[in-house]
């Protein structure tokens, strides 16, 4: 093999590798955030919540997850019309977690390269994986805390929201010191395909 052929092979291999043709890295969700993509699920539920003033409300949520790469959770309240959506997508560098606040699809809070148990983005929002959180008399495991208290210009209708990996929304702390907590497991459950 002459020097020209060897040089062409090395250059070609370098170009193909840099373009991702030999990229064998697998996509994944990093850190403790991966607890949200560990099962297959597609369903919609309605459940009751109650705030610290005694006002009850009904929330409806939709969950879609595909193991081990995708999670989409949406929830909306009936009376106070709070809307939250969390989407987790795996990537080859730990995954992306996107929070949508309210019905405005343009308000996206993005966290990239998930690892560990806490991420903060450039606007001051943070997400933290808690081992557990007690709400009422029940303790929920693997809870995602969405914290908007550090944001300079909070686009969300709440200060903090808590979503358990297996149960969905369990608590919301509003900006005016009102706390909304889940009081029932599931009022109804239906398959969204029906």
């Amino acid at each position: 093999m002459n020097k020209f052929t060897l040089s062409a092979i090395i250059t070609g291999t370098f170009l193909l590798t840099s373009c991702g043709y030999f990229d064998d890295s697998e996509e994944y969700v990093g850190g403790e955030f991966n607890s949200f993509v560990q099962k297959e699920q597609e369903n919609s539920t309605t459940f009751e919540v109650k705030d610290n003033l005694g006002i009850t409300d009904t929330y409806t949520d939709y969950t879609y997850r595909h193991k081990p790469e995708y999670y989409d959770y949406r929830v909306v309240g009936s009376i106070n019309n709070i809307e939250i959506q969390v989407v987790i997508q795996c990537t080859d560098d730990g995954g992306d977690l996107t929070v949508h606040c309210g019905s405005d699809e343009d308000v996206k809070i993005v966290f990239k390269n998930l690892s560990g148990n806490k991420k903060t983005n450039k606007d001051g929002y943070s997400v933290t994986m808690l081992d557990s959180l007690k709400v009422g008399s029940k303790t929920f495991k693997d809870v995602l805390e969405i914290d908007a208290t550090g944001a300079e210009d909070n686009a969300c209708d709440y200060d903090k929201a808590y979503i358990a990996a297996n149960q969905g929304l369990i608590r919301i702390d509003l900006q005016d010191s009102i706390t909304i907590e889940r009081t029932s497991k599931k009022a109804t459950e239906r398959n969204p395909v029906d």
Side-chain angles (χ1 to χ4, degrees):
M1 183 176 328
N2 64 30
K3 288 183 181 181
F4 176 74
T5 305
L6 182 59
S7 177
I9 291 172
I10 291 171
T11 303
T13 303
F14 174 75
L15 288 173
L16 289 172
T17 302
S18 66
C19 293
Y21 287 104
F22 293 131
D23 185 11
D24 62 353
S25 60
E26 292 190 30
E27 294 186 339
Y28 65 102
V29 173
E32 295 177 25
F33 300 96
N34 70 10
S35 63
F36 280 83
V37 293
Q38 293 306 309
K39 69 180 193 178
E40 298 286 329
Q41 179 181 6
E42 183 175 14
N43 68 322
S44 180
T45 59
T46 302
F47 56 92
E48 292 180 357
V49 298
K50 188 174 189 178
D51 68 21
N52 54 336
L53 301 175
I55 299 171
T56 58
D57 193 359
T58 302
Y59 276 60
T60 301
D61 67 5
Y62 166 78
T63 306
Y64 174 78
R65 67 176 102 205
H66 179 62
K67 181 180 179 179
E69 50 194 41
Y70 189 77
Y71 172 80
D72 184 353
Y73 179 77
R74 301 172 199 169
V75 64
V76 62
S78 299
I79 296 174
N80 55 23
N81 204 30
I82 292 176
E83 291 185 42
I84 303 169
Q85 180 181 10
V86 175
V87 177
I88 300 175
Q89 296 174 291
C90 72
T91 64
D92 61 5
D93 60 1
D96 296 342
L97 187 153
T98 304
V99 177
H100 300 269
C101 293
S103 59
D104 185 358
E105 285 291 321
D106 294 334
V107 179
K108 295 179 184 176
I109 304 161
V110 180
F111 304 89
K112 294 189 168 290
N113 306 329
L114 301 176
S115 61
N117 68 346
K118 182 173 183 175
K119 296 295 284 187
T120 301
N121 79 355
K122 62 181 175 58
D123 298 321
Y125 296 95
S126 67
V127 288
T128 305
M129 282 301 302
L130 306 174
D131 289 335
S132 63
L133 180 70
K134 188 171 184 176
V135 174
S137 61
K138 182 165 176 151
T139 300
F140 296 89
K141 303 274 188 208
D142 298 321
V143 177
L144 175 68
E145 175 190 66
I146 303 165
D147 187 347
T149 58
E152 190 172 311
D153 185 24
N154 184 2
C156 300
D157 296 331
Y158 54 85
D159 282 336
K160 294 183 179 181
Y162 299 87
I163 298 170
N166 291 320
Q167 292 84 5
L169 180 73
I170 56 173
R171 180 173 144 182
I172 301 173
D173 296 337
L174 297 180
Q175 296 168 343
D176 53 5
S177 301
I178 294 176
T179 300
I180 299 169
E181 295 184 342
R182 187 176 193 136
T183 57
S184 68
K185 241 182 0 186
K186 295 177 183 174
T188 62
E189 182 173 330
R190 63 188 184 283
N191 184 337
V193 179
D194 293 342

